[in-house]
Amino acid sequence: MEQKQTSVVKTPRNSDGAQRSSYRQSYRSYVGAVSRLGLTSALTARRLNTSRRAPRAHNITDKVSPEHLAVLVKKEWQLSYVTPLFQFRHTQLKRYSQQLSAFIAAERQGVAVEVEEPQHSFKASFSVVHGMAEAEEDAETILIQVHSKHHFSRRDDPEKCVWSGWLACINGSPEYIRSLPKDFICLPLFGSSGGDPLTSSVKSWFQQTFDCCFGSLEINHTSLQWLGSLWTNCQPESNIQHLKMIWAVPVVPPLQITYTVNPQDAWELWTCVRKDAQVEKEGEEEEEEEEEGIIDIEEVNMFMQELKSHFYRHFKLDLSAGNLVQVSTALGSAKTSGRIKISNSRYMISTLTLLTECALLKMPV
Amino acid sequence: MAAKLSLSGPSDSDTSSPSDQSVSGRSVNRSLRIAEKERRKNEAEDPFVLALKYFSDVEPGTPVNGNDQLERNLVCVEKVAYSKGLHPEAISIMLEFAMSLRMGSSPCVRVLKCLIPSSVVPQEAVVRAVVWLGIGKIPISTQVLFIKWVLTVFDMIDAKDQLRAIYGFIFSFVTEENLVCDDLGILVKMRVFRVRKLLELQSKVGRQPFLMHLLSLYKVFCPELVTLSIPSPMKNAFRNHNSPWKSALLAVQKRNGSQVSSSSLSLTAKDKTNSRKRKHCHLEVPALNSAVNKQAQTDSCSSRKVVPLVQIHSFAQLLENMHRIELPAQMGSLLGSSLTLQFLDCVQDESALLRLNSWLGYALHEEFLFCNDAGSFQNSEEALQFLEKLLSTLHFRQEGFSSIEVFLYKFLNAWDGSLLRPQILGLMSNIPVVTSSQIGQFLFEPLMQLFFTSSLFFKCGLMECLNNMLLKWLTWHSVYALEDDLDISLNSHTSINITLSGFKDSVMELVHFVGRLATVGLQLEGCHSLLLSFILDFYETVCDMFLKYGLPLVVMPPPGVFYPALFAADPVSVDRLAYIMYRYKVNLTSAKRQEKLKEQAFHISRQTFHEFNHYVVVMVNCLWNSKMFHQGMGVQLGEEVLLKSNVPQYSNSFDLIHHPAFLSYAVDFHQKCWPGRKDMDLNSIKHSKPWRWYLEYLFTQGYDGLKQFVQSNISWQPIAGDGGSDDLATQQR
């Protein structure tokens, strides 16, 4: 067995070989690009999936520990996308906790800090949220929490959690994940909740440690429409209480329109749209009988169109001119700025699947 | 190097053997000194020399106050120091004078402040001064000043072996005297106990800039021991202490034109001005840090010593350690300096390249595609600098990054064609070979839209860019084809095969695409000669593909390019067209010869030969035979239309005499040939003798393309023979 190479540069054996390998390499480094292009051959036209599975009520409480679920469900998360993490190991979380604690302390106080030192004023802890991963390629979700210790608090006082965040990949595109070299872990979706200074500390620690990059992830118009429809689809199983949408209309002064729909009305409209679409589909090809759970983008568009025309009938205002900036139901809320709140863990997976997809669309390579 | 790195070497006092570097440094230094001595012989009576003599000979205890002689000499030294810098011997003398406190401590500070070296600082002088530091009763502030001075000129000290040996002694000043001692960390053997001591000291005295800096050096050398963050204002505060010397030094060096390397770790590593608070920092190249996260290696490779890239400071070191350099924590940091770029050139690791590409792609996407706030492109100055840096990197590497390519394919659809045009076009010309099935969708469609809707200058820029792109492809091919004997199917670890024919297809697509653009572009811009010139540049590359780059492919320009060039009003375009046609001929004949020689050689279609012959016939008939509108020519006009135009002798109007591009030459020639004649009859040049002279005259005006074209296509004897204008035969196949 050859010893594991730590240096990436190989010493050429002779000049001839060296030259050859350099051209091979130079070609390879851009053929690599071409092969990646081949992977997403419709590169310039990458879009969200046009159809997705209707959210099923997950028995997620059986798989994921309630403490973890409680953390994930309570808060509103600010989303980011993350490029693949280099040499992240799920087995090294303890070490990461130590390093991140020291890093935060150093950033906070602006002083140098010894890594081994046990008494940091901020204590970061990493943990794996088992049971979240859906597909085989998905890496397990990572939860990060930062607790603070007050100087005046007693020894046995519970530490206060001042920041939390997670990295997840739910039903990530298997082609993309498989195309990455072994050293990389793909956890493209990052949610954070807590003070901005801590968020940026955690981000820069990740950047420096795993050579990844963080960029803000907005939830665009289409994704918000998707979320509204997916949540409405859950109405019979768990009451969504309301379907609230906020539209920003570009007029001077800027106008925001809040449009709240009764859950039962929304559901009835949705079933009509679904039925129409289903009938149409059956007319085209009859064999697609079992595709019950699949929702198509056209149904979503139609649903939204109907909601808009209803609004127009009453207020003579065409919402198509504006932008959907927020959607909320009892199951959760999502804002275009990339803030998301999941209130019911039963439908969490389908929401996170959509968001993972959005994050993967932002990947630069 | 190795001694410096070891965590648990023997005690501090052992002298590490002088490295090769310092030896060579000394010999260079010696020759410098000899040269300086020579020079000084001539200036024996120089007041500066006298001043130095004064300082070296002055008795201890000489009074300072009211000492005019001291004042005069000091001013003299200062003047020289700030204008030319002090030579090594002068540095020695002045330092010795100051540190020995021969005249008390008051002139000491003033002397230290003007110690601007012109070339190098002798190590002996520094060591002696350190000795004085221990013996004398120098005030703390002066000690600090001295150490600061050492730090500033650290890179100019000719050898460092002895300094290294006494580091332990210098280190003691840090703890006892709170001296600024940062950069001497370069000398130090990193020790756990020292880090502890420093951290302890930090907790006592708080966050002192010098301590922070020393700690940050420890972080460079053993990142796993210390975690540190330096707030950005700190970096600035720290830099200030040696800036007066620094600027004076730079000024002196500039004046002397000498380039003594003065890029010490301390002065470059933190050289980022974070003066403005930036909202977007994605365009900033990350700092070079050694990887902390290397658990995988530490166990398996304890026997193998790796050197973090941060510790490499010169090309020599890079070469020496090439096989055991450890990649930095963030690959993007390799774009930060030219030295690391050298290293990047050797990186073959796929993961490492992916890391780099991720960062680069992220930065480009965030800046130019995802710019979600309204004030996008506000920081176009930074964007400009970033792209410039990227371009110089590409230029240096002579190859692209896949992330740039991916970015461009998306960006071209959103680009307005004017934002950062030169830079974007520069990036584009580095796009590697694109398969012919994808090239249309990724490149041609967006480019076509931009081309037809943009200004003349964009059109010219795009032509230049596509020419550069073609040149790069061809260069790559010529190198690669030579290696693999025309078989460029790739080896196993690539997922795509570009065969020779695939490559030819891509090139053909590109050339045809440019042909289409050029045709329409020339019409849109009224055959603008600037655009024509860029187009002809492109065809100069195309016509030589076979002979210059070994690509068995000949593609002729479309009529939409050929005729505008032939009828251009400026002689340069016509001349260049003639040159291009000449090169086509050379390429085609040589291809034909090869085809006959080797059976398996490629085949050039009859169509290409036909097109070429047709163009040559047109050119010869037009420029030489005055048979402009004859049957079978490219341009055909009805007889009655031509008559209606009232142009006398219309068939003559584009020969070498009447062609609008050459008319002025014909007139000039006529005047020179028959100076006495009142009425000008240009047709008289057509007679065999003047015709020959006229051609010679044209050729002497620098129209070499025309000359080569005429000589290769027209059997025309310039000396003998009476056959004038009509005696020609085009060599056709």
Side-chain angles (χ1 to χ4, degrees):
Chain A
M1 256 299 272
E2 203 183 288
Q3 197 175 27
K4 191 174 160 78
Q5 195 99 22
T6 42
S7 167
V8 282
V9 180
K10 289 170 194 139
T11 318
R13 282 192 196 85
N14 55 45
S15 60
D16 182 25
Q19 196 190 21
R20 175 168 285 251
S21 74
S22 87
Y23 284 114
R24 290 249 187 256
Q25 174 228 338
S26 89
Y27 192 60
R28 183 166 57 111
S29 69
Y30 64 68
V31 161
V34 182
S35 64
R36 291 200 151 268
L37 296 186
L39 169 84
T40 51
S41 74
L43 177 85
T44 47
R46 267 205 286 179
R47 298 278 185 274
L48 274 180
N49 278 341
T50 51
S51 65
R52 54 187 70 244
R53 200 170 284 282
R56 284 163 297 151
H58 259 269
N59 47 351
I60 196 158
T61 38
D62 301 346
K63 292 199 282 180
V64 182
S65 73
E67 302 94 74
H68 282 152
L69 275 185
V71 176
L72 288 176
V73 163
K74 263 192 294 184
K75 302 189 175 72
E76 185 176 57
W77 302 99
Q78 176 66 53
L79 297 176
S80 302
Y81 70 90
V82 193
T83 60
L85 309 178
F86 178 66
Q87 287 194 338
F88 181 88
R89 300 268 183 283
H90 282 77
T91 51
Q92 297 280 329
L93 298 184
K94 208 170 160 194
R95 223 165 54 91
Y96 298 157
S97 307
Q98 213 175 31
Q99 283 176 2
L100 181 57
S101 304
F103 186 84
I104 292 174
E107 286 261 301
R108 271 287 161 126
Q109 299 154 28
V111 293
V113 168
E114 201 179 344
V115 173
E116 305 282 319
E117 190 187 320
Q119 292 295 319
H120 292 304
S121 51
F122 287 95
K123 208 175 134 237
S125 64
F126 281 67
S127 53
V128 180
V129 184
H130 287 286
M132 291 275 285
E134 280 282 293
E136 204 178 313
E137 283 81 10
D138 291 350
E140 288 286 359
T141 301
I142 298 292
L143 181 69
I144 307 149
Q145 285 178 295
V146 179
H147 296 273
S148 92
K149 247 186 241 164
H150 277 289
H151 290 294
F152 309 113
S153 61
R154 271 176 293 147
R155 192 164 273 264
D156 49 347
D157 267 358
E159 290 163 346
K160 199 179 147 217
C161 177
V162 288
W163 188 91
S164 42
W166 43 264
L167 286 155
C169 176
I170 312 293
N171 286 316
S173 148
E175 291 91 40
Y176 182 79
I177 297 172
R178 277 189 219 127
S179 77
L180 295 172
K182 256 193 194 149
D183 299 335
F184 291 87
I185 294 284
C186 184
L187 286 166
L189 191 60
F190 173 71
S192 66
S193 152
D196 280 346
L198 274 173
T199 309
S200 65
S201 286
V202 173
K203 280 182 180 175
S204 51
W205 181 78
F206 266 92
Q207 277 164 7
Q208 286 171 28
T209 315
F210 305 110
D211 205 356
C212 57
C213 308
F214 288 78
S216 64
L217 180 66
E218 311 79 39
I219 308 176
N220 64 16
H221 188 80
T222 318
S223 307
L224 287 175
Q225 293 192 342
W226 264 113
L227 283 174
S229 309
L230 291 175
W231 283 332
T232 308
N233 195 59
C234 303
Q235 163 70 11
E237 293 169 43
S238 88
N239 185 8
I240 61 167
Q241 285 172 20
H242 59 262
L243 171 64
K244 189 167 116 185
M245 291 164 288
I246 298 182
W247 298 77
V249 184
V251 287
V252 183
L255 184 63
Q256 275 216 337
I257 297 169
T258 309
Y259 181 8
T260 312
V261 187
N262 176 293
Q264 202 51 40
D265 294 349
W267 165 249
E268 272 164 27
L269 177 62
W270 176 244
T271 41
C272 286
V273 166
R274 291 277 287 164
K275 228 177 260 164
D276 285 356
Q278 228 69 29
V279 167
E280 214 168 272
K281 226 183 232 168
E282 270 167 39
E284 282 168 15
E285 36 197 306
E286 289 180 13
E287 68 230 75
E288 303 234 351
E289 199 63 35
E290 50 164 355
E291 295 281 316
E292 189 70 25
I294 300 291
I295 297 172
D296 203 77
I297 181 77
E298 274 158 31
E299 296 165 77
V300 175
N301 287 339
M302 217 189 296
F303 178 56
M304 283 295 152
Q305 195 48 55
E306 292 305 320
L307 285 173
K308 282 183 215 166
S309 48
H310 180 74
F311 191 84
Y312 183 78
R313 246 170 272 139
H314 283 277
F315 301 102
K316 295 282 171 280
L317 233 160
D318 192 356
L319 287 175
S320 318
N323 251 329
L324 188 56
V325 292
Q326 185 178 336
V327 169
S328 62
T329 68
L331 300 183
S333 76
K335 292 175 192 161
T336 188
S337 59
R339 293 185 157 271
I340 185 124
K341 186 173 175 180
I342 298 169
S343 314
N344 189 334
S345 63
R346 293 176 72 194
Y347 304 100
M348 186 164 69
I349 292 298
S350 67
T351 307
L352 289 178
T353 303
L354 176 74
L355 294 174
T356 302
E357 210 179 309
C358 293
L360 283 177
L361 280 183
K362 285 248 184 177
M363 290 295 136
V365 279
Chain B
M1 193 71 211
K4 224 161 66 180
L5 297 175
S6 68
L7 287 169
S8 55
S11 78
D12 292 336
S13 53
D14 66 337
T15 330
S16 51
S17 60
S19 62
D20 298 350
Q21 190 192 345
S22 63
V23 169
S24 67
R26 263 184 207 163
S27 66
V28 167
N29 181 34
R30 195 163 295 141
S31 62
L32 274 176
R33 273 186 222 168
I34 290 168
E36 264 156 18
K37 254 179 203 152
E38 285 284 310
R39 206 186 61 217
R40 250 176 295 134
K41 266 181 199 161
N42 305 332
E43 317 166 337
E45 297 308 307
D46 191 343
F48 176 57
V49 178
L50 293 176
L52 285 181
K53 198 163 166 4
Y54 170 81
F55 284 114
S56 62
D57 295 346
V58 69
E59 288 289 318
T62 313
V64 178
N65 289 344
N67 189 340
D68 285 347
Q69 207 181 0
L70 169 73
E71 180 62 27
R72 201 174 55 239
N73 286 323
L74 204 49
V75 167
C76 171
V77 172
E78 276 173 340
K79 219 171 91 187
V80 173
Y82 287 121
S83 61
K84 286 188 288 190
L86 300 176
H87 52 78
E89 208 168 302
I91 295 272
S92 296
I93 292 169
M94 295 312 291
L95 194 59
E96 180 72 14
F97 166 76
M99 298 302 285
S100 62
L101 299 182
R102 248 179 279 172
M103 292 176 79
S105 58
S106 51
C108 181
V109 175
R110 203 169 144 192
V111 170
L112 276 176
K113 277 186 179 159
C114 74
L115 283 180
I116 315 286
S118 63
S119 54
V120 289
V121 175
Q123 177 182 230
E124 293 87 345
V126 180
V127 173
R128 276 191 74 88
V130 172
V131 172
W132 282 114
L133 213 56
I135 297 169
K137 305 177 194 71
I138 305 171
I140 297 284
S141 62
T142 316
Q143 289 184 15
V144 173
L145 193 68
F146 166 70
I147 298 283
K148 279 178 176 176
W149 175 79
V150 173
L151 302 182
T152 310
V153 299
F154 188 78
D155 286 313
M156 306 172 82
I157 299 176
D158 52 2
K160 281 147 194 156
D161 47 338
Q162 292 173 31
L163 273 182
R164 231 164 245 157
I166 56 168
Y167 178 76
F169 171 72
I170 301 172
F171 186 84
S172 69
F173 279 91
V174 181
T175 45
E176 286 165 22
E177 316 272 5
N178 277 357
L179 277 181
V180 177
C181 191
D182 41 14
D183 289 41
L184 292 176
I186 297 169
L187 305 170
V188 75
K189 298 175 175 121
M190 293 294 157
R191 290 288 163 73
V192 182
F193 75 83
R194 282 202 180 123
V195 175
R196 291 254 158 82
K197 190 153 192 182
L198 284 177
L199 287 169
E200 212 172 274
L201 186 66
Q202 178 188 259
S203 63
K204 256 188 260 161
V205 300
R207 222 167 57 172
Q208 298 291 330
F210 60 91
L211 266 181
M212 299 301 290
H213 198 74
L214 186 50
L215 279 165
S216 72
L217 278 170
Y218 277 96
K219 186 171 153 52
V220 165
F221 287 97
C222 31
E224 56 283 347
L225 281 179
V226 55
T227 287
L228 168 84
S229 78
I230 304 175
S232 38
M234 186 71 81
K235 292 170 193 166
N236 295 337
F238 184 72
R239 275 216 322 278
N240 285 343
H241 77 78
N242 49 20
S243 59
W245 277 311
K246 199 70 198 157
S247 53
L249 249 178
L250 281 177
V252 165
Q253 285 184 349
K254 218 175 190 178
R255 234 168 281 148
N256 292 356
S258 72
Q259 284 312 314
V260 182
S261 82
S262 64
S263 59
S264 88
L265 177 77
S266 59
L267 296 169
T268 51
K270 305 286 175 215
D271 219 18
K272 256 175 224 147
T273 42
N274 281 354
S275 49
R276 262 185 308 149
K277 175 96 178 145
R278 281 205 43 179
K279 199 178 163 198
H280 305 280
C281 50
H282 44 255
L283 287 187
E284 218 165 77
V285 175
L288 194 60
N289 281 319
S290 37
V292 187
N293 179 30
K294 44 189 171 189
Q295 71 280 1
Q297 292 97 319
T298 40
D299 311 324
S300 62
C301 299
S302 47
S303 58
R304 194 189 164 109
K305 199 156 206 149
V306 292
V307 181
L309 192 56
V310 205
Q311 295 174 21
I312 305 283
H313 300 302
S314 69
F315 189 64
Q317 279 180 328
L318 184 74
L319 284 184
E320 204 175 295
N321 297 296
M322 196 52 128
H323 54 291
R324 51 186 187 137
I325 289 177
E326 180 194 63
L327 287 173
Q330 285 167 284
M331 281 298 288
S333 58
L334 287 189
L335 300 191
S337 79
S338 55
L339 188 64
T340 49
L341 276 179
Q342 304 268 10
F343 175 67
L344 175 62
D345 220 25
C346 317
V347 174
Q348 297 186 358
D349 183 60
E350 194 191 355
S351 301
L353 289 174
L354 183 61
R355 281 157 68 194
L356 181 61
N357 275 315
S358 293
W359 173 76
L360 195 55
Y362 159 82
L364 290 169
H365 277 77
E366 282 290 329
E367 181 66 24
F368 297 105
L369 282 170
F370 301 157
C371 33
N372 36 22
D373 53 344
S376 57
F377 305 131
Q378 262 176 353
N379 37 14
S380 63
E381 184 55 37
E382 272 138 38
L384 179 75
Q385 278 169 11
F386 181 77
L387 291 184
E388 289 286 356
K389 180 174 231 163
L390 203 52
L391 278 173
S392 70
T393 305
L394 291 178
H395 184 72
F396 175 82
R397 256 168 70 90
Q398 293 289 308
E399 69 177 285
F401 293 103
S402 58
S403 52
I404 298 183
E405 204 186 336
V406 173
F407 160 73
L408 282 176
Y409 294 151
K410 294 186 199 167
F411 184 64
L412 285 182
N413 290 293
W415 191 33
D416 62 356
S418 69
L419 177 84
L420 297 166
R421 183 197 298 152
Q423 287 75 29
I424 298 291
L425 287 177
L427 286 185
M428 213 164 69
S429 66
N430 281 289
I431 291 182
V433 187
V434 188
T435 54
S436 55
S437 58
Q438 292 177 318
I439 198 168
Q441 185 202 348
F442 287 160
L443 272 183
F444 295 167
E445 279 174 28
L447 284 183
M448 209 135 59
Q449 288 193 359
L450 282 169
F451 185 82
F452 295 137
T453 53
S454 299
S455 67
L456 171 71
F457 299 104
F458 177 84
K459 292 187 174 91
C460 295
L462 185 62
M463 281 297 151
E464 192 192 14
C465 158
L466 293 173
N467 186 24
N468 288 336
M469 187 194 278
L470 180 65
L471 277 172
K472 287 196 172 111
W473 291 10
L474 292 171
T475 309
W476 173 79
H477 163 80
S478 65
V479 172
Y480 201 84
L482 274 181
E483 262 191 5
D484 283 5
D485 199 14
L486 285 181
D487 167 31
I488 38 175
S489 59
L490 289 155
N491 50 355
S492 57
H493 59 241
T494 56
S495 53
I496 195 165
N497 278 358
I498 276 227
T499 56
L500 179 60
S501 72
F503 180 75
K504 264 166 72 178
D505 286 347
S506 295
V507 171
M508 196 130 76
E509 288 278 340
L510 180 64
V511 175
H512 283 318
F513 172 68
V514 173
R516 290 199 299 277
L517 284 191
T519 304
V520 184
L522 283 172
Q523 281 174 22
L524 283 176
E525 300 294 340
C527 298
H528 200 285
S529 52
L530 187 63
L531 180 60
L532 186 59
S533 157
F534 280 99
I535 292 169
L536 291 175
D537 277 344
F538 182 80
Y539 281 99
E540 260 178 39
T541 310
V542 172
C543 68
D544 251 348
M545 285 195 298
F546 176 67
L547 280 181
K548 251 191 185 162
Y549 302 98
L551 183 69
L553 182 69
V554 180
V555 188
M556 298 303 294
V561 171
F562 176 80
Y563 287 104
L566 180 59
F567 300 136
D570 59 313
V572 178
S573 298
V574 184
D575 176 66
R576 293 185 66 189
L577 179 70
Y579 172 75
I580 288 168
M581 293 309 290
Y582 160 71
R583 290 305 302 177
Y584 268 120
K585 174 160 183 161
V586 176
N587 274 265
L588 280 170
T589 29
S590 128
K592 191 97 178 167
R593 209 178 303 127
Q594 275 212 7
E595 207 171 359
K596 272 184 194 147
L597 221 67
K598 296 191 266 181
E599 286 302 308
Q600 95 287 20
F602 62 97
H603 179 71
I604 288 177
S605 74
R606 302 201 70 76
Q607 179 65 25
T608 309
F609 283 111
H610 178 78
E611 278 175 45
F612 170 76
N613 285 334
H614 177 72
Y615 282 153
V616 171
V617 169
V618 168
M619 270 183 90
V620 170
N621 272 342
C622 176
L623 296 175
W624 193 278
N625 285 344
S626 315
K627 291 180 188 161
M628 182 57 211
F629 300 103
H630 271 222
Q631 282 292 316
M633 295 281 291
V635 185
Q636 297 210 356
L637 283 174
E639 193 82 15
E640 60 278 14
V641 180
L642 288 167
L643 284 173
K644 232 186 238 171
S645 72
N646 281 335
V647 178
Q649 295 177 312
Y650 49 81
S651 62
N652 279 351
S653 43
F654 283 101
D655 62 16
L656 277 177
I657 299 164
H658 297 94
H659 193 295
F662 295 103
L663 190 61
S664 65
Y665 288 101
V667 171
D668 190 38
F669 175 79
H670 191 275
Q671 278 168 350
K672 279 184 180 148
C673 203
W674 299 285
R677 272 207 218 170
K678 280 273 162 60
D679 50 337
M680 188 170 286
D681 178 20
L682 288 179
N683 280 329
S684 58
I685 302 177
K686 281 254 167 131
H687 299 296
S688 65
K689 229 174 206 169
W691 178 252
R692 280 207 309 268
W693 293 338
Y694 177 59
L695 285 178
E696 293 291 344
Y697 165 75
L698 274 186
F699 297 159
T700 56
Q701 302 296 313
Y703 295 114
D704 292 337
L706 212 55
K707 183 179 179 181
Q708 283 162 325
F709 177 81
V710 168
Q711 286 175 351
S712 74
N713 285 301
I714 301 172
S715 60
W716 167 72
Q717 281 80 43
I719 304 135
D722 54 347
S725 54
D726 286 336
D727 176 27
L728 68 97
T730 54
Q731 296 177 346
Q732 297 168 26
R733 267 176 291 261

